[in-house]
Amino acid sequence: MSLETIAKISNKYGVNPEYVLAGGGNTSYKDADFLYIKGSGTSLATIKPEEFVKLGRKALAAIFEKKYPADTDAREAAVLADMMAARVPGEAKRPSVETLLHDAIPSKYVLHLHPAEINGMTCGKNGKAAFDKLFGDKGIWVRPIMPGYVLATEIAGEIKAFAESHGKNPDYILLENHGIFLGGESEEEIDVKFDAFLSALRSVIAKKPDFSEISFDLETAAMLGAAIRGICGGDVFAVFCTDAEIAKFAQSKAEFMKIHTTFSPDHMVYCKDEAAFCAPDADTLSKAIVDYQKRKNGLPKIVGVEGLGYYAIGPSKKEADIAAAVFKDAIKVAVFAENFGGGKP
């Protein structure tokens, strides 16, 4: 059964932390009448066949033809209402915001991932030039666009134009500062395409992150972790992270600025659009957090400490751990992006 196949594809790629962030990414399966897509808040690693959201493709197609308000908020609200109405009777799960995009891709199975290696290119200053050289005859590159309806309609047009000029559909769709989409008619085709993409990409990657363990000042790290909890009111968790690569970025404010702002939507969601940075003492730490709170109207998710590493902050241990892992992914992206002219937030 095809739903079992897309669940298998989802689980296989979803369990690999190199390909997904915080359970993110999405997948879908379609036939002539229905689209089955990963629901919002569902993990690729664990999703079951019955957990996909079922929508009518006729109703989804009508969304592409309908005239919507020019105002962004009004348009997105209307599109969301129509997309929710496209669910089959009795379907209560919420579909992914990228549902329309999945429907526009002319493949039975669609896989969307955020691998750091690939995002080194999508977030690189020279990423598009590298993509054009490696994959220009195999796919399309999409500049940053509002997610949802606008992105889906833009890519639908890009797919049509590619098919007309190349006599085939694109194998790959790269979203700048976001990730990769690819489709196939079978699990095997998905695997072959993805492996071929990574193989070609890795042929031009010389610089890779070094996450080997290093020694650090345990006493200072513990003291600053306690200080963060005190400064933030005590009702937070602070997870400390360091290693060889993190230490390179934490050696100075100039180096930390390379990862100071966000690269992708996932980084923004889990780590906010900006990190704080300070010297390794409680007074400057307090000033950095208070200044951030005044400017951004909220606590930072990430605080870099000069010569030490970074702290991920969250209201629970789980949320702090997620922020820590996602920020480490941003570091991976920054390093891989050095192969493509340096990072581009």
Side-chain angles (χ1 to χ4, degrees), residues 246-278:
I246 293 170
K248 291 176 188 176
F249 285 102
Q251 65 183 306
S252 68
K253 186 172 183 178
E255 285 300 306
F256 196 77
M257 288 298 290
K258 295 177 182 179
I259 50 172
H260 177 253
T261 52
T262 191
F263 286 114
S264 78
D266 280 330
H267 299 147
M268 184 175 291
V269 167
Y270 295 103
C271 301
K272 296 192 174 182
D273 64 337
E274 186 181 303
F277 187 76
C278 66

Side-chain angles (χ1 to χ4, degrees), residues 207-229:
K207 186 158 189 176
K208 302 175 184 179
D210 172 15
F211 291 123
S212 56
E213 293 184 3
I214 60 170
S215 60
F216 61 93
D217 187 337
L218 283 167
E219 185 176 346
T220 299
M223 180 269 292
L224 293 178
I228 287 173
R229 292 190 292 275

Side-chain angles (χ1 to χ4, degrees), residues 85-99:
R87 294 177 298 176
V88 299
E91 179 63 83
K93 297 183 292 295
R94 185 183 178 91
S96 165
V97 68
E98 291 164 339
T99 294

Side-chain angles (χ1 to χ4, degrees), residues 154-208:
E154 173 69 19
I155 290 182
E158 293 271 359
I159 291 172
K160 181 179 179 182
F162 185 95
E164 288 174 351
S165 62
H166 292 78
K168 63 175 184 177
N169 291 314
D171 290 332
Y172 310 111
I173 299 171
L174 271 286
L175 273 59
E176 189 170 312
N177 287 91
H178 190 129
I180 184 171
F181 281 82
L182 64 152
E185 300 307 303
S186 66
E187 177 186 355
E188 291 72 23
E189 185 180 353
I190 291 281
D191 291 345
V192 167
K193 285 182 178 179
F194 188 69
D195 290 346
F197 189 95
L198 284 183
S199 178
L201 180 66
R202 286 167 178 166
S203 71
V204 298
I205 290 177
K207 186 158 189 176
K208 302 175 184 179

Side-chain angles (χ1 to χ4, degrees), residues 22-341:
N26 48 52
T27 52
S28 67
Y29 153 68
K30 67 174 77 71
D31 57 26
D33 300 314
F34 300 106
L35 174 76
Y36 303 81
I37 189 163
K38 173 184 174 286
S40 294
T42 310
S43 171
L44 278 182
T46 59
I47 192 169
K48 300 177 176 63
E50 63 272 17
E51 292 177 324
F52 285 83
V53 185
K54 184 178 181 180
L55 303 99
R57 296 194 68 203
K58 185 176 181 180
L60 291 175
I63 295 175
F64 285 100
E65 304 299 325
K66 187 175 178 178
K67 296 290 185 181
Y68 288 100
D71 176 76
T72 299
D73 291 340
R75 180 191 65 233
E76 293 305 316
V79 170
L80 177 60
D82 286 344
M83 191 169 75
M84 298 296 276
R87 294 177 298 176
V88 299
E91 179 63 83
K93 297 183 292 295
R94 185 183 178 91
S96 165
V97 68
E98 291 164 339
T99 294
L100 291 175
L101 175 49
H102 279 255
D103 193 60
I105 297 174
S107 299
K108 180 185 290 187
Y109 303 105
V110 175
L111 174 68
H112 171 46
L113 300 171
H114 311 127
E117 285 175 289
I118 293 175
N119 276 343
M121 180 168 63
T122 73
C123 301
K125 294 174 183 176
N126 302 329
K128 186 178 185 305
F131 175 83
D132 289 343
K133 183 176 181 179
L134 291 170
F135 308 106
D137 62 340
K138 296 181 180 69
I140 58 177
W141 178 281
V142 182
R143 297 290 188 183
I145 301 174
M146 173 73 73
Y149 174 79
V150 176
L151 177 61
T153 53
E154 173 69 19
I155 290 182
E158 293 271 359
I159 291 172
K160 181 179 179 182
F162 185 95
E164 288 174 351
S165 62
H166 292 78
K168 63 175 184 177
N169 291 314
D171 290 332
Y172 310 111
I173 299 171
L174 271 286
L175 273 59
E176 189 170 312
N177 287 91
H178 190 129
I180 184 171
F181 281 82
L182 64 152
E185 300 307 303
S186 66
E187 177 186 355
E188 291 72 23
E189 185 180 353
I190 291 281
D191 291 345
V192 167
K193 285 182 178 179
F194 188 69
D195 290 346
F197 189 95
L198 284 183
S199 178
L201 180 66
R202 286 167 178 166
S203 71
V204 298
I205 290 177
K207 186 158 189 176
K208 302 175 184 179
D210 172 15
F211 291 123
S212 56
E213 293 184 3
I214 60 170
S215 60
F216 61 93
D217 187 337
L218 283 167
E219 185 176 346
T220 299
M223 180 269 292
L224 293 178
I228 287 173
R229 292 190 292 275
I231 295 163
C232 298
D235 199 22
V236 300
F237 287 79
V239 175
F240 177 67
C241 302
T242 196
D243 54 40
E245 199 64 56
I246 293 170
K248 291 176 188 176
F249 285 102
Q251 65 183 306
S252 68
K253 186 172 183 178
E255 285 300 306
F256 196 77
M257 288 298 290
K258 295 177 182 179
I259 50 172
H260 177 253
T261 52
T262 191
F263 286 114
S264 78
D266 280 330
H267 299 147
M268 184 175 291
V269 167
Y270 295 103
C271 301
K272 296 192 174 182
D273 64 337
E274 186 181 303
F277 187 76
C278 66
D281 66 79
D283 289 340
T284 53
L285 171 68
S286 178
K287 185 178 185 303
I289 293 177
V290 171
D291 288 349
Y292 185 101
Q293 195 166 17
K294 288 178 180 177
R295 285 191 306 105
K296 311 293 285 186
N297 195 31
L299 293 170
K301 287 283 191 179
I302 302 295
V303 177
V305 179
E306 186 174 5
L308 198 62
Y310 68 83
Y311 292 86
I313 303 170
S316 68
K317 178 67 162 53
K318 179 180 179 181
E319 290 183 63
D321 284 339
I322 290 173
V326 173
F327 194 71
K328 189 167 184 176
D329 180 83
I331 292 174
K332 292 179 189 177
V333 170
V335 175
F336 284 124
E338 292 183 27
N339 297 282
F340 305 99

